[in-house]
Amino acid sequence: MNQKINIGLFGYGVVGESLHHVLKHSKTVDAGVSKICVKQKDKKRSLAPNEFTFNKEDIINDRDINLVVELIDDADEAYDIVKRCLQNKKSVVSGNKKMLAHHLEELIQLQKETNTSLLYDASACGSIPIIRNIEEYYDNDLLKSVTGILNGSSNYILSKIFNEGLDYQTALKQAQDLGFAESNPSLDVDGFDSLYKLIIIATHALGTFVPPDKVLNYGISNLQEADIQFAKEKNYKIKLVAQLIKLDDESFTMFVIPRLVRPGKYIYNVEDEYNGVVIQGEYYDKQFMFGKGAGGYPTGSAVLSDITARSHNYKYEYKKQKYFKRLEYRTDHEIEIYLRYKDIVDFSYFEFDSISEKHSGLENNYVVGKIKLSNLLKLRTVLPRLDVFLAYIRN
Amino acid sequence: MNQKINIGLFGYGVVGESLHHVLKHSKTVDAGVSKICVKQKDKKRSLAPNEFTFNKEDIINDRDINLVVELIDDADEAYDIVKRCLQNKKSVVSGNKKMLAHHLEELIQLQKETNTSLLYDASACGSIPIIRNIEEYYDNDLLKSVTGILNGSSNYILSKIFNEGLDYQTALKQAQDLGFAESNPSLDVDGFDSLYKLIIIATHALGTFVPPDKVLNYGISNLQEADIQFAKEKNYKIKLVAQLIKLDDESFTMFVIPRLVRPGKYIYNVEDEYNGVVIQGEYYDKQFMFGKGAGGYPTGSAVLSDITARSHNYKYEYKKQKYFKRLEYRTDHEIEIYLRYKDIVDFSYFEFDSISEKHSGLENNYVVGKIKLSNLLKLRTVLPRLDVFLAYIRN
């Protein structure tokens, strides 16, 4: 153990409050919260008013605070806070995947220049230590792919649909009532949250940072009864899966697309708000890590692990950026998909390389075929407006 | 990256040879094998004879060798090698669980005195980075239990019995033919291998080293058709499970006993030569890690991770030994077991605290009841000779 950690905490929502509780009940962690910065002045909170400040400068400029923990929702504000803290030589623990996915390259550079440390294992997969493992343990060039269910809300919805027969809207409503999904659920169900986590994972897994707008994320909000029917008849479950695939020694691809998953696959049994990640490597075969991907306490404990890591002066080395020939991100990779459509006009948007199965029905049609990822990426803004649903089958 | 690593390798069996291969094919790892020490002079090997030596002093005293990788079977010889290398200021990577389980306390002390590093993630659960995660990520006092299938051979046998209906002897023979079990399988099937791994895990999980002869290991070699029948009728599978349980803020217990496992449990689906470990904590709930627990390549890649960790000067900090009040190991813990017996004389050895179920049959009888772990520990040497089988149900 080195120095006592005085934390300046930004945000006192579910995770912030859980962290505060966990810190109080962990007898061996020599860290305490000095100040908490929150936005809303009139909200009732579980701590005395004098523990809070509404002015971020009170933390950014406090010399006694040697670690800033950033747990707010607003990605732009979080970026400003993290950047200014690092510039002020304060190390930071952050859980903001959106902010990280957009600014990670710059923040890696800033850490180097200021000799500070930015840790964010809590930003991907809640309590599963995925970033730390990819950074420290799979720190060689044997890694071949990472496949994961990275978003608890959409997985909860899909579990209710496939295990309890709910329709999409009812399942979504239930997830919202339980606090698993936001009132605007697009971040979760359209795969943005998974995408941000995938961007962060790729930076550690292969050393290459790719801006989020270059990567396809397609979610489950267009899922209909016909798609559920198709999956069930063929003994699949549909899961929203993020994938990173090393294509050869020079390149890789990645994407977030719903996937038709067979019972034998590890991720098949990942249900409800859980996350599960399969790491595949050249010689170690497959590793599977599984745990709670969301919720105040699981995420709060992940933040705690980052805090104690700082007490041992831990920092990410971004090892693969240092001694790897950086892999190139490619989208000309061909994948096999299932595409359900009503109208031939919608179908005409898709340039399939080949089609292996075609089905016409009274209400819906579908094809199974191979298409380049770049073709889907081109359609990104159009996709949500088309009356279609697509899911990855295999590559 | 720091210095180039020159490895002195002890042992060129399945794991040693796999490691050699993996090292050659990993382009980013700046480490090479300088010398290999083997025992048998006349064995045909895949490398030129001048790569080998038969004299261990050639490695122990070679100043150019800055990392020793010890992958031999003989625990006593391994202890001598590891100890002398550390004394000679050489860091060591070892996969020898038996040696570690017996000498870890002394070797931790020796590392401190000589400022060297001994890494051994490959010694427990092959490719699953269990030790590194317990040491680095779960480095606080929130850990409540570790439950795991730590031995691939016995798990392979049990999978064949429960999934394919083989009897114990046929399944054992098959495991031996496939190289999963030794010709003397006692190390695996009687739970010694799991015990050694549990001892190592406990040292990192809670900070307390307990000598192996103080901990109960009871295996599956007395498993009979009646037990399989009992389990199947009640919708259990039998798994050989190692468990470590924190009892309160001051104490913990641990043991290796076959366990009747229900379908909902994570370890229920761990089949064949795979290993799976559930880490449970106060706030993060359950984490599950799963992967290949044996085999040349999976273990070889685990050794590789330890080697690259050394290239970043990594060492275990044994954090919990430093800032934990060391937990006391207790065996007065009461557990619920199933006990099958033929003869009432055998049964009389067991002092149950209470019995909740009793069954008498023509050929076999069984009881389900609560018994103190210390009572079983007392019977340790007698147990294998009794015509009984016992399995943990719950605590």
Side-chain angles (χ1 to χ4, degrees):
Chain A
M1 293 291 287
N2 302 289
Q3 45 175 171
K4 151 111 177 137
I5 297 212
N6 298 315
I7 293 169
L9 174 64
F10 283 93
Y12 198 68
V14 180
V15 180
E17 196 170 348
S18 303
L19 170 70
H20 196 273
H21 180 87
V22 173
L23 265 175
K24 271 210 161 158
H25 288 79
S26 174
K27 295 175 203 96
T28 60
V29 180
D30 198 15
V33 175
S34 304
K35 225 169 265 174
I36 307 170
C37 180
V38 288
K39 214 163 106 186
Q40 284 174 272
K41 295 198 183 183
D42 49 358
K43 204 170 155 186
K44 226 181 128 67
R45 297 190 169 89
S46 59
L47 296 175
N50 63 2
E51 308 248 19
F52 296 94
T53 173
F54 307 101
N55 182 356
K56 62 182 173 183
E57 306 302 328
D58 287 351
I59 289 179
I60 296 174
N61 297 315
D62 185 332
R63 280 164 182 258
D64 291 335
I65 287 174
N66 50 16
L67 185 67
V68 169
V69 176
E70 177 279 302
L71 299 171
I72 65 175
D73 272 344
D74 182 336
D76 294 330
E77 184 65 16
Y79 169 61
D80 183 66
I81 290 167
V82 171
K83 192 171 157 180
R84 291 195 46 217
C85 288
L86 294 178
Q87 284 167 339
N88 262 9
K89 311 269 184 202
K90 286 189 200 309
S91 287
V92 178
V93 171
S94 169
N96 201 311
K97 52 220 92 171
K98 185 176 177 188
M99 181 275 288
L100 290 161
H102 285 89
H103 302 287
L104 195 50
E105 193 160 44
E106 181 195 346
L107 294 173
I108 292 171
Q109 193 51 37
L110 189 57
Q111 286 176 73
K112 282 184 203 157
E113 288 164 17
T114 56
N115 194 25
T116 52
S117 168
L118 172 63
L119 300 180
Y120 41 81
D121 218 316
S123 71
C125 302
S127 61
I128 309 176
I130 183 70
I131 295 173
R132 201 87 73 85
N133 272 283
I134 285 177
E135 174 72 21
E136 297 300 329
Y137 201 81
Y138 303 103
D139 63 340
N140 47 48
D141 57 352
L142 304 177
L143 192 138
K144 277 165 65 179
S145 70
V146 179
T147 307
I149 293 174
L150 310 181
N151 178 266
S153 316
S154 55
N155 199 53
Y156 179 88
I157 293 168
L158 291 168
S159 283
K160 292 294 147 189
I161 291 173
F162 277 85
N163 302 338
E164 298 176 22
L166 301 194
D167 60 45
Y168 177 78
Q169 288 305 333
T170 314
L172 170 61
K173 175 82 176 40
Q174 206 177 94
Q176 286 172 324
D177 290 347
L178 283 165
F180 288 143
E182 307 291 329
S183 52
N184 172 8
S186 175
L187 195 71
D188 294 316
V189 297
D190 291 328
F192 287 99
D193 179 79
S194 301
L195 169 68
Y196 299 148
K197 292 165 177 170
L198 183 63
I199 297 287
I200 299 169
I201 287 172
T203 309
H204 289 270
L206 300 173
T208 308
F209 171 78
V210 183
D213 61 353
K214 299 268 184 275
V215 182
L216 179 70
N217 63 301
Y218 177 76
I220 56 167
S221 52
N222 280 351
L223 183 72
Q224 288 186 3
E225 195 46 42
D227 309 311
I228 299 165
Q229 212 60 41
F230 173 86
K232 285 189 172 171
E233 273 167 20
K234 310 227 166 186
N235 200 22
Y236 288 114
K237 277 185 199 165
I238 294 174
K239 297 280 183 190
L240 184 54
V241 176
Q243 273 190 271
L244 170 165
I245 305 162
K246 191 169 158 182
L247 299 173
D248 53 40
D249 278 355
E250 254 113 61
S251 65
F252 76 103
T253 193
M254 58 178 162
F255 48 86
V256 177
I257 314 183
R259 180 170 170 163
L260 293 156
V261 184
R262 288 226 182 271
K265 296 281 175 188
Y266 295 148
I267 53 172
Y268 185 86
N269 292 316
V270 177
E271 299 292 2
D272 300 327
E273 76 273 30
Y274 282 83
N275 284 185
V277 183
V278 180
I279 298 169
Q280 186 167 19
E282 198 97 31
Y283 295 108
Y284 46 78
D285 209 334
K286 283 175 186 163
Q287 297 291 317
F288 179 52
M289 300 178 80
F290 176 82
K292 279 206 174 156
Y297 283 130
T299 311
S301 347
V303 175
L304 179 69
S305 273
D306 277 349
I307 292 172
T308 55
R310 268 317 295 160
S311 78
H312 299 277
N313 290 318
Y314 178 73
K315 43 165 65 184
Y316 299 136
E317 302 261 354
Y318 299 95
K319 290 177 185 169
K320 298 199 183 143
Q321 295 206 338
K322 280 188 200 164
Y323 60 95
F324 255 52
K325 186 182 158 203
R326 297 239 199 140
L327 300 188
E328 186 199 348
Y329 168 62
R330 263 172 48 197
T331 60
D332 57 348
H333 183 61
E334 195 181 58
I335 62 174
E336 186 164 35
I337 62 165
Y338 152 88
L339 174 76
R340 187 257 310 149
Y341 62 96
K342 236 182 206 126
D343 193 328
I344 193 75
V345 177
D346 287 343
F347 176 71
S348 69
Y349 281 92
F350 296 85
E351 296 165 39
F352 278 90
D353 293 344
S354 64
I355 284 176
S356 61
E357 217 182 314
K358 228 172 179 163
H359 176 90
S360 302
L362 281 177
E363 297 208 10
N364 279 292
N365 313 297
Y366 72 76
V367 297
V368 173
K370 289 184 175 168
I371 192 166
K372 284 205 179 60
L373 202 55
S374 49
N375 280 318
L376 296 176
L377 204 53
K378 219 167 52 183
L379 298 177
R380 177 185 229 169
T381 50
V382 184
L383 269 179
R385 285 182 283 124
L386 303 179
D387 187 6
V388 305
F389 178 74
L390 63 92
Y392 177 90
I393 297 194
R394 71 190 84 84
N395 62 332
Chain B
M1 294 292 285
N2 301 288
Q3 45 175 170
K4 151 111 178 138
I5 297 211
N6 298 315
I7 294 169
L9 175 63
F10 282 93
Y12 198 69
V14 180
V15 180
E17 196 170 347
S18 301
L19 171 69
H20 197 272
H21 180 87
V22 172
L23 264 177
K24 269 212 161 158
H25 287 80
S26 174
K27 296 175 204 98
T28 59
V29 180
D30 198 16
V33 175
S34 305
K35 225 169 265 174
I36 307 170
C37 180
V38 288
K39 214 163 105 186
Q40 284 173 272
K41 295 199 183 183
D42 48 358
K43 202 170 157 187
K44 223 180 129 70
R45 297 188 171 90
S46 58
L47 296 175
N50 63 2
E51 309 248 17
F52 296 95
T53 173
F54 306 101
N55 182 357
K56 61 182 174 183
E57 307 301 327
D58 286 350
I59 288 180
I60 296 173
N61 298 316
D62 185 331
R63 280 164 182 257
D64 291 334
I65 287 174
N66 50 17
L67 185 67
V68 169
V69 176
E70 177 277 302
L71 299 171
I72 66 175
D73 271 343
D74 182 335
D76 295 329
E77 183 65 15
Y79 169 62
D80 182 66
I81 290 168
V82 171
K83 193 172 158 178
R84 291 196 47 218
C85 288
L86 294 178
Q87 285 167 337
N88 262 7
K89 311 270 183 200
K90 287 191 199 306
S91 287
V92 179
V93 171
S94 169
N96 201 310
K97 53 221 93 176
K98 185 175 178 189
M99 180 276 287
L100 291 161
H102 285 89
H103 302 285
L104 195 50
E105 193 159 43
E106 182 195 346
L107 294 173
I108 291 171
Q109 194 51 39
L110 189 55
Q111 286 177 73
K112 281 184 202 157
E113 288 165 16
T114 56
N115 195 25
T116 52
S117 169
L118 171 64
L119 299 180
Y120 41 80
D121 220 314
S123 71
C125 303
S127 62
I128 307 177
I130 183 70
I131 296 173
R132 200 87 72 85
N133 272 282
I134 285 177
E135 174 72 22
E136 297 299 329
Y137 201 81
Y138 303 103
D139 63 340
N140 47 49
D141 58 353
L142 304 178
L143 192 138
K144 278 164 65 179
S145 70
V146 180
T147 307
I149 293 174
L150 309 182
N151 178 265
S153 316
S154 55
N155 200 53
Y156 179 89
I157 292 168
L158 291 168
S159 283
K160 292 294 147 190
I161 291 173
F162 278 84
N163 302 337
E164 297 175 22
L166 301 194
D167 61 44
Y168 178 78
Q169 288 304 334
T170 314
L172 170 61
K173 175 83 175 41
Q174 205 177 96
Q176 285 172 324
D177 290 347
L178 282 165
F180 287 140
E182 308 291 328
S183 51
N184 172 9
S186 175
L187 195 71
D188 294 317
V189 298
D190 290 328
F192 288 98
D193 179 78
S194 301
L195 170 68
Y196 299 148
K197 292 167 179 171
L198 184 63
I199 298 286
I200 299 169
I201 287 172
T203 309
H204 289 269
L206 301 173
T208 308
F209 171 79
V210 183
D213 62 351
K214 299 268 182 278
V215 182
L216 179 70
N217 62 303
Y218 177 75
I220 56 167
S221 52
N222 279 351
L223 183 72
Q224 287 186 5
E225 195 46 41
D227 311 310
I228 299 165
Q229 211 62 40
F230 173 86
K232 284 188 172 171
E233 272 166 21
K234 310 227 167 188
N235 199 23
Y236 289 114
K237 278 183 197 164
I238 294 174
K239 299 280 183 189
L240 184 54
V241 176
Q243 274 189 269
L244 170 165
I245 304 163
K246 192 168 158 182
L247 300 172
D248 53 40
D249 278 355
E250 254 113 60
S251 64
F252 75 104
T253 192
M254 58 179 164
F255 48 86
V256 178
I257 313 184
R259 179 171 171 163
L260 293 156
V261 184
R262 288 229 181 270
K265 297 279 175 189
Y266 296 149
I267 53 173
Y268 185 86
N269 293 314
V270 177
E271 300 291 4
D272 301 326
E273 76 272 30
Y274 282 83
N275 283 186
V277 184
V278 180
I279 299 169
Q280 186 168 19
E282 198 97 32
Y283 295 108
Y284 46 78
D285 208 334
K286 284 176 186 163
Q287 298 290 317
F288 180 51
M289 300 178 80
F290 177 81
K292 279 206 174 156
Y297 282 130
T299 312
S301 346
V303 174
L304 179 69
S305 275
D306 277 349
I307 292 171
T308 56
R310 268 317 294 160
S311 78
H312 298 277
N313 290 316
Y314 179 74
K315 42 166 67 184
Y316 300 135
E317 302 261 356
Y318 300 95
K319 290 176 183 169
K320 301 201 180 137
Q321 297 207 336
K322 281 187 198 164
Y323 60 95
F324 255 53
K325 186 182 158 202
R326 296 238 200 142
L327 300 187
E328 185 200 350
Y329 167 63
R330 263 172 48 198
T331 60
D332 57 349
H333 182 62
E334 195 180 58
I335 62 173
E336 187 165 33
I337 62 165
Y338 152 89
L339 173 75
R340 187 256 312 150
Y341 62 97
K342 237 182 207 127
D343 194 327
I344 194 75
V345 178
D346 287 343
F347 176 72
S348 68
Y349 280 93
F350 296 85
E351 296 164 40
F352 278 90
D353 293 343
S354 65
I355 284 176
S356 60
E357 219 183 311
K358 229 174 178 162
H359 176 90
S360 302
L362 281 178
E363 298 210 8
N364 279 293
N365 314 297
Y366 72 76
V367 297
V368 172
K370 289 182 175 171
I371 192 165
K372 285 207 179 56
L373 202 54
S374 48
N375 280 319
L376 296 176
L377 205 53
K378 219 167 49 183
L379 298 177
R380 177 184 230 169
T381 50
V382 185
L383 270 178
R385 284 181 284 124
L386 303 180
D387 187 6
V388 305
F389 177 75
L390 62 92
Y392 176 90
I393 298 196
R394 71 190 84 83
N395 62 333

